[in-house]
Amino acid sequence: MQPILSIKNLSKTYASGLSALAEVDLDIARGEIFALLGPNGAGKSTLINIICGIVTPSTGTVTVDGHDIQRDYRAARAMIGLVPQELTTDAFETVRKTVSFSRGLFGLPKNPDHIERVLRDLSLWEKRDSRMMQLSGGMKRRVLIAKALAHEPRVLFLDEPTAGVDVELRQDMWRLVRRLREQGVTVILTTHYIEEAEEMADRVGVIRRGRIILVEEKAELMRKLGRKQLTLHLQTQLSELPESLAERGLELTGGGRELVYTYDSQGERTGITRLLNDLASSGIAFSDLQTRQSSLEDIFVDLVRERA
Amino acid sequence: MAMNWPAVRAIYVFEMSRFLRTATQSILAPVISTSLYFVVFGAAIGSRMTMVDGVPYGLFIVPGLMMLSLLTQSITNASFGIYFPRFAGTIYEILSAPVSPVEVVLGFVGAAASKSILIGLIILATAALFVPLRIDHPVWMLAFLFLTAVTFSLFGFVIGLWADGFEKLQLVPLLIITPLTFLGGSFYAIEMLPPFWYTVSLLNPVVYLISGFRWAFFGQADVAIGVSLAMTLLFLTLCLAAVTYIFRTGYRLKS
Ligand SMILES: Nc1ncnc2c1ncn2[C@@H]1O[C@H](COP(=O)(O)OP(=O)(O)OP(=O)(O)O)[C@@H](O)[C@H]1O
Ligand SMILES: [Mg+2]
């Protein structure tokens, strides 16, 4: 199936001469949830802002459901909803008016029922007649999401939707994203909270210094790059590893009271049995053990570091 | 693709509601300042200078008074209208909507022009309390009112796009428009000036606006009505060209 969003050879050099994006190629499948990860200044917002028409690209093309974002901007933009990173609102407007305004901008006739549904979904209905300046930051964030959903977009961009947001709102947001996915809406989000990508995304892209360095199914990524660690809590303190156990990828930590064994979770032979046998024959006893699978966060940190 | 009228309407209504939120101030201010002008110019000076070109002085200044407010209000409203979303960042929404430059301009400039036409009419009504009005060519009067409001709202829109601080927004009305209007014959006929200053005045574009407007009221003017109309249309075209250029290049709107 044709991707809903297709980015080809996209580059952006700002007037200051700063190159924020370089030769980005990316396809987003219809209905998927795509998480774009990257450190501060990597170019995430630049990429989103180009697609949405706020920043002009230097080279390259973007099509949304086959519509070029420059030549056929009306059709392309009509499909897109954007929740920007910055909280910018019209202080004096009421919640309901500002959300209806967004719908009007997208050329749609008034639809109070739809607006009410969106406001209720985001727990904003009680606040419908409050002015924006009377709302808390989290509430304003909800209003920005409501504005982006006012015209029933098919593709939703969430640029760091959960920055500075409490746990409850974050979970509301996740619920909302899942519901949107059920309706077939494609969601592209950027985040610094990797747990968010881990929780929600189907695919993950990592961007660094304006280049996409990796795009992978989340499950595949975690399988491929994920490592497992076995930690053994020793009964007696060790000053150093016995010779028989050296060169095993073993690490002595916790003041000589912990042995950490890192292994590849994909491997057929993890080497655990052999390790435990060797420990027994060396007379090393342990009181407890635990295993831990590396999170997407660990993978991400590794990736960004590796290619530094 | 057809025009996105709901968007034009949304922007227009948004801008007008900003105006109506401060309705008392928006309406009271021109009423008070007009009354003051009448007290100062009409009563104090008018008592010594009873007639200009066969028109009582109090009545003579009505077109100039309207023009003065029309120009400053159009520029201030339109420049603030587009500058503020740029400053606050809410412009992102307009940039990312399926809205063409023409529609953006129609919404913002339409609202700014509506406001200043409204204020012009309020001034006219206020003036009617002080002097018996006389309007020889009411249709032309409305046409000039409309053309001037649109032209200077466009001009204000350009300033609002160009400005990168609130000071610059104030600068043009304060340093250029107000002096040009005062020196453009709002309160006197430029023929009353010595020949040298008369010639200098002809370089002032506002002279043509006020002159045309005054012709609509009293059937007489400093310069021929055709020239006034041509100058107004010329300025309108210049402003349209500037706006078109800005949107073509994305100047100060997109990075
Ligand atoms: N309007 C602009 N003019 C010049 N440089 C810019 C502009 N906007 C962004 N940049 C630069 O482009 C680079 C990418 O910025 P961008 O906002 O896309 O990063 P980001 O990945 O969204 O970062 P963050 O996680 O902090 O939001 C940064 O170095 C930034 O300073
Ligand atoms: Mg960003």
Side-chain angles (χ1 to χ4, degrees), chain A residues 73-74 77 102 107 110 147, chain B residues 4 9 93 95 97 100 103:
Chain A
Y73 70 93
R74 282 201 205 251
R77 289 183 199 166
S102 305
K110 286 192 166 40
K147 280 166 82 69
Chain B
N4 182 352
R9 199 183 109 123
E93 207 180 4
L95 293 177
S100 73
E103 289 146 6

Side-chain angles (χ1 to χ4, degrees), chain A residues 228-232 259-263 272 275 289-291:
Chain A
K228 278 194 138 184
Q229 283 186 333
L230 170 67
T231 307
L232 300 164
L259 266 182
V260 179
Y261 176 57
T262 306
Y263 58 98
I272 291 179
L275 174 69
L289 83 173
Q290 64 199 170
T291 65

Side-chain angles (χ1 to χ4, degrees), chain A residues 14-16 18-20 38-47 49 55 85 159-160 190 192 207, chain B residues 255:
Chain A
Y14 282 108
S16 58
L18 185 125
S19 163
N40 286 133
K44 303 180 294 293
S45 298
T46 300
L47 180 62
N49 289 342
V55 170
Q85 182 172 0
D159 198 353
E160 288 183 39
T190 72
H192 287 136
I207 183 169
Chain B
S255 37

Side-chain angles (χ1 to χ4, degrees), chain A residues 202-221:
Chain A
D202 299 311
R203 273 200 311 158
V204 176
V206 178
I207 183 169
R208 217 183 138 269
R209 296 198 189 157
R211 288 179 191 274
I212 302 244
I213 55 177
L214 171 133
V215 177
E216 191 80 82
E217 299 277 333
K218 181 189 66 186
E220 180 74 3
L221 180 67

